[in-house]
Amino acid sequence: MMSQTRPDSTGRAPGAASQDAAPGPRGMAVHYSKVALALLAGILFAGFCALGTWQVKRLFWKLDLIERVEQRVHAPATDAPGPAAWASITQQTDEYRHVRLSGTYLPLFNTLVQATTALGSGYWLVTPLRLADGSTVLVNRGFVAKRAGIAAGTPPGIVEVDGLLRVSETGGGFLRENSPATQHWYSRDVAAIAASHMLTNVAPYFVDAKAKSETAVDAPVGGLTVISFHNSHLVYALTWFALALMVAGITWWIVREDKRRRARGKKLDPSQESDHAGQD
């Protein structure tokens, strides 16, 4: 007569108790996989939230910059910074300042810089302005459609210039490098333009002349400065936060499905069925 295996004091068969107490290699591997998955999800969630928060900070910084630039543009004109202030000029604090200056144009050193404007393709006419203190400021007098005859219409004598201070544009533009040797320019690189004409004591900025600074029929068209700032920080922030929510949602779904799977496994556990059979 065969002996019947009885459950222990916990209500489980002896074999089932030993398996729970000592999970096999497969069980340990599953456990470590869950831990690794949880760590990865936590790192991704924290990283996406940090990136989203950083973009929110950049958004407020950009909005503040735009407001400050608007104030500079519409403020009354002040004297352009002299040599003593050149070292402290930065894009953040001085770009688009409304300034005024007076001096004598040096048309011998006119420079044409390729430009695309609301009036079409052509050139910016950049002319050095020699000030009373001996320093020189490059002035973007405005847009011209062709290269010929640019020196003929330069105003003689002392002129008054009213415009916006601009920081030097280095490195070329239009996917092309400046060529000082051939006088082909694609950006208003102050230092390079000054060096190509062997000018000294030149301000590290240039000035965009305002509209109607010159009244001659064939005068360059001023006042075409485009003031715009790329501001997609809100879109970037929402994207990062959305990715963080996706990670959280996927993690929640995986945890829920794992709990359901374990619940179904307990209902179908043969050891529990044998326990009920033994009690009957």
Side-chain angles (χ1 to χ4, degrees):
M1 183 175 179
M2 297 179 65
S3 60
Q4 183 178 1
T5 302
R6 297 181 179 180
D8 58 11
S9 59
T10 63
R12 298 182 181 180
S18 62
Q19 292 175 359
D20 291 343
R26 182 178 179 183
M28 293 297 294
V30 172
H31 173 72
Y32 288 131
S33 297
K34 291 180 180 178
V35 172
L37 181 61
L39 288 174
L40 177 61
I43 292 172
L44 289 176
F45 181 80
F48 289 146
C49 285
L51 288 170
T53 301
W54 177 65
Q55 286 296 337
V56 170
K57 293 180 179 179
R58 292 282 296 173
L59 171 63
F60 284 106
W61 170 82
K62 183 62 68 67
L63 293 175
D64 179 66
L65 174 62
I66 293 173
E67 182 180 357
R68 284 188 282 114
V69 167
E70 286 294 324
Q71 292 175 353
R72 295 174 199 163
V73 171
H74 299 292
T78 59
D79 292 337
W86 289 353
S88 61
I89 292 175
T90 65
Q91 186 175 31
Q92 292 74 19
T93 59
D94 299 283
E95 185 83 81
Y96 301 111
R97 280 177 55 185
H98 188 191
V99 298
R100 61 172 178 264
L101 62 165
S102 63
T104 304
Y105 279 129
L106 306 177
L108 180 63
F109 305 115
N110 278 338
T111 301
L112 290 174
V113 181
Q114 185 171 327
T116 301
T117 72
L119 301 178
S121 297
Y123 307 91
W124 296 122
L125 176 55
V126 179
T127 305
L129 184 71
R130 180 64 51 81
L131 276 59
D133 62 1
S135 63
T136 301
V137 175
L138 298 187
V139 176
N140 174 23
R141 294 165 55 195
F143 173 82
V144 293
K146 57 184 180 179
R147 302 181 67 97
I150 60 173
T154 303
I158 297 177
V159 296
E160 301 285 337
V161 177
D162 190 331
L164 300 179
L165 183 151
R166 303 294 308 280
V167 175
S168 178
E169 302 169 343
T170 60
F174 301 96
L175 302 179
R176 303 183 68 176
E177 295 292 329
N178 293 323
S179 177
T182 59
Q183 287 296 297
H184 284 86
W185 300 93
Y186 304 97
S187 71
R188 289 161 292 188
D189 188 332
V190 171
I193 292 174
S196 71
H197 296 304
M198 293 183 289
L199 296 172
T200 59
N201 199 22
V202 178
Y205 59 85
F206 64 94
V207 173
D208 276 345
K210 69 176 184 179
K212 299 181 180 179
S213 295
E214 301 180 32
T215 57
V217 176
D218 57 349
V221 181
L224 298 179
T225 305
V226 176
I227 303 174
S228 66
F229 296 90
H230 181 69
N231 186 11
S232 298
H233 298 297
L234 179 59
V235 175
Y236 297 152
L238 292 176
T239 300
W240 291 123
F241 286 134
L243 290 173
L245 289 176
M246 288 176 59
V247 170
I250 293 173
T251 303
W252 173 82
W253 181 83
I254 292 175
V255 171
R256 186 192 66 176
E257 291 301 310
D258 183 62
K259 288 183 178 179
R260 288 181 176 179
R261 181 185 59 78
R262 285 186 294 173
R264 289 193 298 267
K266 288 181 179 180
K267 291 180 180 179
L268 300 177
D269 192 346
S271 63
Q272 294 182 359
E273 293 180 358
S274 65
D275 290 347
H276 291 296
Q279 292 176 0
D280 292 342

